[in-house]
Amino acid sequence: MYDFLIAPFLHYGFMQRALFGSLVLSASCAPVGVFLMLRRMSLTGDAMSHAILPGAALGFLFFGLDILSMTIGGLAVGLLVALGSGAVSRFTVQKEDASMAAFYLISLAVGVLLVSWRGSSVDLMHVLFGSVLALNDEALALIAGIAVITFLALGIFRRALVAECLDPLFLRSVSRIGAPVHFLFLTLVVLNLVGGFQALGTLLSVGLMMLPAAASRFWSNRVGTLCLIAIVIAAVSCVGGLLLSYHASMPSGPAIILTAGIAYALSALAGRRGMLSSLLVFRRHKTA
């Protein structure tokens, strides 16, 4: 048991950095995913994860695999896509989901073309799927900084975020902070996707944000509890995924997201509000 669960993290520095980075990402991304889920914007997170690709690709074109330049590029383009899709949905007849889909598809195509233009298939795979086992000190510092910003923002604006999740129209009618809070929240989403991009790539970074959040919904309906459960599920998924990657020689990012997917399936089946519980309640009512 020691050799299987503990030894890989004690004997190898790259496993220690991967564990630290993924656990910090879990604590930062999972609560943001909960608010995305409560806002019924889960697919928006997926779209935004694709939208940061052109910015990261531009940073790669000019500076190579430099963390700071790719991060700044991804953040800038991600915010631009969020604002652009919001403007289209606000000032035209098109709904936000359609405009977001259009923007992220264009962004994804442009990003893949940019990376392919100057890079190799290895570079493209690194940008799309990341490499949590290759996290260096710069990447860890960036992830930790994003986590600190996220904790501060969620702590200060928690009530406003919850109010906007429950009734955004009411919040905007009684207060002027509705629109700024919405923009702040989109900024947090983009920031955490950029942080997740360092470890999981642009295609999988949203997985650590949404799968634990969706799984937590089967266990509670209180926002604070949902966030804590989502963090625990994300952390366990990261540890399990890294161990699976190490022992089975699998890619680390997909292994983490696959483990989170298994946690989601188990929660949907056996959670306090899952399918088995619903079936038991249905049978009780039927026999009563």
Side-chain angles (χ1 to χ4, degrees):
M1 187 66 70
Y2 170 83
D3 291 336
F4 186 84
L5 296 178
I6 301 176
F9 297 116
L10 289 181
H11 296 163
Y12 300 101
F14 68 91
M15 288 291 287
Q16 295 170 7
R17 288 192 294 273
L19 179 64
F20 175 78
S22 59
L23 290 179
V24 174
L25 274 175
S26 299
S28 179
C29 287
V32 175
V34 168
F35 283 103
L36 267 176
M37 176 188 64
L38 294 176
R39 287 163 165 254
R40 299 181 182 178
M41 294 173 60
S42 299
L43 292 179
T44 299
D46 182 56
M48 293 304 302
S49 70
H50 294 76
I52 67 175
L53 180 57
L58 286 172
F60 168 77
L61 284 178
F62 290 105
F63 301 100
L65 291 172
D66 178 69
I67 291 174
L68 182 61
S69 59
M70 293 176 72
T71 298
I72 293 174
L75 180 61
V77 174
L79 292 175
L80 181 64
V81 168
L83 291 174
S85 62
V88 169
S89 64
R90 181 169 185 147
F91 297 111
T92 70
V93 297
Q94 193 167 65
K95 299 297 184 182
E96 188 173 10
D97 59 341
S99 62
M100 180 65 75
F103 272 80
Y104 103 78
L105 287 170
I106 295 169
S107 298
L108 179 61
V110 171
V112 172
L113 288 175
L114 286 173
V115 177
S116 302
W117 179 39
R118 288 282 299 274
S120 65
S121 59
V122 175
D123 296 325
L124 181 61
M125 291 293 287
H126 176 83
V127 173
L128 291 178
F129 298 103
S131 181
V132 68
L133 297 180
L135 290 176
N136 55 25
D137 293 339
E138 277 186 301
L140 293 177
L142 173 68
I143 292 171
I146 290 173
V148 170
I149 293 172
T150 302
F151 296 152
L152 289 174
L154 291 180
I156 295 171
F157 296 100
R158 178 179 175 275
R159 290 187 176 181
L161 287 169
V162 172
E164 199 186 17
C165 287
L166 299 176
D167 196 341
L169 294 178
F170 173 76
L171 178 63
R172 292 173 189 178
S173 67
V174 300
S175 174
R176 294 182 178 180
I177 67 170
V181 165
H182 182 70
F183 177 74
L184 170 68
F185 178 69
L186 289 178
T187 304
L188 289 179
V189 172
V190 174
L191 271 174
N192 280 275
L193 289 174
V194 168
F197 152 75
Q198 307 296 334
L200 302 171
T202 59
L203 294 185
L204 293 178
S205 58
V206 71
L208 196 61
M209 183 178 290
M210 293 314 308
L211 282 172
S216 69
R217 197 72 174 91
F218 297 109
W219 297 98
S220 178
N221 58 2
R222 297 176 61 88
V223 175
T225 307
L226 285 173
C227 291
L228 290 175
I229 294 174
I231 291 173
V232 171
I233 292 175
V236 172
S237 299
C238 288
V239 174
L242 288 173
L243 289 173
L244 182 63
S245 163
Y246 177 82
H247 292 292
S249 299
M250 295 174 60
S252 52
I256 290 173
I257 303 306
L258 177 61
T259 307
I262 293 172
Y264 171 81
L266 291 175
S267 298
L269 182 66
R272 190 168 66 88
R273 307 177 68 196
M275 289 184 287
L276 290 180
S277 178
S278 298
L279 286 174
L280 289 174
V281 172
F282 176 76
R283 286 186 178 181
R284 288 174 185 172
H285 285 298
K286 190 175 181 180
T287 56

